[in-house]
Amino acid sequence: MERILSINLARIDWCCAERGITLDELAQEIDIAPASFDKVMAGTLGLTFNQLRKLAEFFGRGTLFFLEPGPVDEAKVHSPQFRTLSNQKPELSPRLKLLIERVERQRAIFLALRDELDPADMTRFEAPDLAGLRIPDAAAHVREWLCLDKRNDFDSYRQAIEAHGMLVFRSNGYAGKWQIAKESPILGFSLYDPECPVIVVKKQDADTRQSFTLMHELGHLLLHRASSIDDDSDMHSQEGEEREANAFAGHLLVPDAFLVDIRDNQRPVEVAAFDDWLKPQRKAWGVSGEVILRRLLDTGRLPPAAYAAYRQWNAKFHPPEKEGGTREHRNREPKHIFGDGYVRVVLDALNSRRITLAKASSYLDNLKITDLHKLEQHYAGI
């Protein structure tokens, strides 16, 4: 079998460093005997085309990337948005960096398919004009722009954002290529693009927690026209753009008019009972108790000591883990991960014969063909 000897070995080393894996681990991933791969890296043995293809797929690169001479130009390999996030959080794990790149590729797929379909039927992103507005006024304007009702949950917030030409991805709860690891402090990130911004939210133990992350990232996109990656400390920061994004999210989710529904004279003495006290509002607005308490704190209706005590209690309180689901609804996972807008565009492209079943499967998290047909039936209401 003919082997390719003109492999740029330095680029393999660079990719391994980026991914945080050893050459032996790479050999195992691409199914090459370690002894043979040692010869490849020593320049005495080439790769077959299939081996090169596996190598390229594993790193999410084209095969030509490993055949081009010279060192890697990171300015060309990584997008400005990717570099922005890496600069904000230099300690990002290789796995999270890979997720960011994967999200960027999904957006590119979405835009390419959308442009091939009838442009007149596609909603284009057009940011609302928030120039000169105070944060509460900007949040009120965006709430109206999103056409939000008074009762919401994470799914309705997500749908409202997607309806304006943005993508909202949510990471998987189980281990896999679309998961943000449970032990990671990162709660979400946003990739600004004037044509199609993307928000990625980490799946957490409660949808209400995800709602705040979602609106915090929306704040970065609409207020700052910038990409951002945020951990738990950013969600409580009182400095700079993080403070603005937090205030924006708080006012959007819980406007001042909502707070009249809360009776201060019914507030329990014990902070452990605060969530029960706020249960009707939490359920109606699709937010956590902490978001409401923060708004009450900012308006002077909650003592700082009570808020601090609640946060301390909440940090120690761990709700029971939800039991793991079955694979019965594997066909609907792409919608949970990529959102309704993305999935509809892929299915529309498939039904109009612009892409093959195999392509559609690869665009939808390698969904099996049988599950892909079930997904089509789900969207058809069958």
Side-chain angles (χ1 to χ4, degrees):
M1 186 178 295
E2 186 176 350
R3 291 182 176 270
I4 303 169
L5 293 170
S6 56
I7 306 293
N8 188 331
L9 302 177
R11 294 196 168 202
I12 296 179
D13 284 328
W14 181 86
C15 286
C16 285
E18 274 266 299
R19 184 70 65 89
I21 65 171
T22 66
L23 291 173
D24 285 345
E25 290 170 334
L26 174 59
Q28 184 176 4
E29 290 285 350
I30 61 177
D31 198 24
I32 299 178
S36 297
F37 199 59
D38 286 343
K39 293 179 181 178
V40 171
M41 296 307 295
T44 59
L45 181 68
L47 291 173
T48 67
F49 180 77
N50 281 339
Q51 289 172 334
L52 177 60
R53 180 179 52 79
K54 283 185 179 180
L55 176 76
E57 288 178 353
F58 178 73
F59 287 120
R61 306 289 173 196
T63 54
L64 292 179
F65 175 84
F66 296 97
L67 299 176
E68 294 175 358
V72 174
D73 184 346
E74 295 196 23
K76 292 182 178 179
V77 171
H78 293 314
S79 70
Q81 294 94 334
F82 179 95
R83 295 198 300 273
T84 295
L85 301 194
S86 296
N87 290 335
Q88 287 179 12
K89 296 279 192 292
E91 70 282 4
L92 284 180
S93 69
R95 182 175 173 183
L96 199 45
K97 290 180 179 179
L98 182 63
L99 176 62
I100 295 168
E101 289 188 317
R102 192 173 285 125
V103 169
E104 291 186 318
R105 286 196 293 273
Q106 291 294 94
R107 175 173 58 190
I109 290 168
F110 172 79
L111 290 176
L113 294 179
R114 189 185 70 177
D115 289 345
E116 288 185 11
L117 299 169
D118 187 355
D121 292 338
M122 297 295 163
T123 302
R124 304 286 169 158
F125 171 69
E126 186 175 346
D129 184 8
L130 306 179
L133 295 180
R134 296 168 53 250
I135 295 296
D137 297 329
H141 184 73
V142 172
R143 191 175 178 92
E144 184 177 349
W145 178 68
L146 293 174
C147 301
L148 294 176
D149 294 327
K150 190 169 182 178
R151 299 186 67 88
N152 284 285
D153 57 17
F154 176 81
D155 288 336
S156 65
Y157 289 131
R158 179 184 195 173
Q159 291 165 9
I161 291 172
E162 290 178 336
H164 284 273
M166 292 177 274
L167 291 174
V168 178
F169 292 175
R170 177 165 59 175
S171 71
N172 260 334
Y174 57 83
K177 64 181 184 179
W178 293 104
Q179 185 199 43
I180 297 177
K182 290 182 179 180
E183 61 272 15
S184 172
I186 298 300
L187 297 179
F189 60 87
S190 49
L191 299 171
Y192 181 74
D193 180 86
E195 189 174 0
C196 180
V198 185
I199 296 172
V200 178
V201 177
K202 179 180 182 178
K203 185 173 178 61
Q204 299 180 66
D205 54 8
D207 283 0
T208 54
R209 296 177 184 270
Q210 297 164 174
S211 295
F212 188 82
T213 301
L214 176 64
M215 294 310 183
H216 178 99
E217 298 304 332
L218 183 65
H220 283 305
L221 294 175
L222 300 184
L223 294 174
H224 309 132
R225 307 289 176 95
S227 304
S228 185
I229 185 164
D230 299 287
D231 56 29
D232 187 64
S233 65
D234 296 316
M235 299 297 171
H236 297 93
S237 175
Q238 293 299 304
E239 298 181 359
E241 292 186 349
E242 297 301 344
R243 178 188 62 79
E244 293 178 348
N246 285 327
F248 173 85
H251 280 278
L252 193 151
L253 293 166
V254 186
D256 287 340
F258 282 21
L259 294 177
V260 300
D261 293 345
I262 299 172
R263 300 290 178 262
D264 293 344
N265 59 2
Q266 297 176 1
R267 185 174 69 233
V269 175
E270 298 295 330
V271 295
F274 278 9
D275 281 349
D276 285 339
W277 167 49
L278 298 172
K279 185 176 180 179
Q281 290 80 21
R282 290 191 296 111
K283 187 174 181 179
W285 306 336
V287 299
S288 66
E290 183 171 351
V291 171
I292 300 174
L293 292 170
R294 180 73 217 189
R295 291 286 288 115
L296 291 173
L297 172 69
D298 290 342
T299 57
R301 291 176 53 185
L302 182 72
Y307 177 73
Y310 174 85
R311 284 202 61 201
Q312 186 177 22
W313 169 82
N314 198 38
K316 296 178 181 178
F317 173 71
H318 298 288
E321 289 281 342
K322 296 179 182 178
E323 293 185 6
T326 68
R327 305 298 280 174
E328 180 183 357
H329 297 298
R330 168 70 175 109
N331 57 299
R332 300 183 193 178
E333 284 181 10
K335 182 178 177 181
H336 296 315
I337 300 171
F338 309 125
D340 182 72
Y342 176 92
V343 172
R344 284 185 183 277
V345 164
V346 174
L347 293 182
D348 285 348
L350 174 63
N351 292 332
S352 61
R353 300 181 183 276
R354 286 176 167 81
I355 58 174
T356 64
L357 272 170
K359 278 289 186 185
S361 169
S362 68
Y363 295 161
L364 296 172
D365 193 29
N366 293 316
L367 204 61
K368 290 182 180 179
I369 300 302
T370 53
D371 285 326
L372 182 53
H373 288 316
K374 289 180 182 178
L375 181 63
E376 289 182 293
Q377 292 170 359
H378 170 67
Y379 269 86
I382 300 174

